[in-house]
Structure formats: C-alpha cells, structure tokens
Amino acid sequence: MSSKKIISLATVWYLAFATAVAIVVPIVFSFMDLTDVQKYTFALFGINVIFAIISGLIVGIKKQPIIYLIFFPILYLIGVKMFFENFAYYVAIIYLLISFLSYGIVKD
C-alpha cells in the first residue's frame, strides 16, 4: 500500500465524517433534553453503529485501505473522554469489530 493512496482526499473525507459522528453527535445530544439512557442508546448504539456499518461497507466496496476503518474508533475514544462515562471506552472495540465485519462481507 503506497503512502499516496493513504494520504488523499478520501482520507480527509473519512476523517471529517468520523469527527462529525464521534465528536459532533455527542455535543448535539448533550444539548437535547434527554435522559442519560436515551443519550447512550441513540448515540452509542444507534448512530455510531450505523456509521460503523456504512463505513465498513463503503471501504470494502470501493476497495480502499482498511486503515480508514480505524479513524472512527480513535476519534470516538477522544469524544468519550469529553462526553460519556468510562464504560463507553469498551464500545470502541465493538465499533472496530462491526466495521471490520461489514468490510469483510463485501470484500472479495
């Protein structure tokens, strides 16, 4: 894998969307009048799981480098420190596994 393929416009797009989902979504949910259970359910197990699945499928279909799938869990860990409780750190492993599994489904 060449460095030219990793450092590209696609990399910037994956980083931008991962940042939006990992950082901006918790900010939005923190301003909404929801209980903690609702925030965790919608953010951790709703939006983030869907993003992990979609990003894994897109990377697999377009045959892009698998390194793109690591961006979201890393940015998620940064966002967890600011917005969620300590138990949410373990969910990053689940997101990584979900994105790898969805990547593997479409990869030849």
Side-chain angles (χ1 to χ4, degrees):
M1 179 178 343
S2 68
S3 63
K4 184 179 179 183
K5 191 173 183 180
I6 293 174
I7 302 170
S8 65
L9 186 60
T11 306
V12 174
W13 279 109
Y14 280 106
L15 281 172
F17 280 110
T19 303
V21 173
I23 306 292
V24 176
V25 168
I27 291 171
V28 170
F29 277 111
S30 68
F31 289 116
M32 295 175 72
D33 188 28
L34 301 173
T35 65
D36 287 341
V37 174
Q38 290 172 331
K39 289 178 191 176
Y40 293 140
T41 302
F42 291 134
L44 298 182
F45 301 110
I47 295 171
N48 290 352
V49 169
I50 291 169
F51 179 76
I53 292 170
I54 291 172
S55 64
L57 292 173
I58 290 172
V59 169
I61 289 170
K62 292 187 175 186
K63 296 177 178 36
Q64 294 174 328
I66 199 167
I67 193 104
Y68 291 162
L69 299 179
I70 299 173
F71 295 159
F72 175 62
I74 290 172
L75 290 170
Y76 168 79
L77 288 173
I78 295 168
V80 164
K81 187 151 183 88
M82 294 186 289
F83 299 104
F84 294 115
E85 302 294 327
N86 289 336
F87 74 88
Y89 287 115
Y90 301 110
V91 182
I93 297 168
I94 295 170
Y95 296 151
L96 190 62
L97 291 174
I98 288 172
S99 60
F100 283 158
L101 288 172
S102 61
Y103 171 80
I105 288 172
V106 296
K107 187 71 176 161
D108 291 333

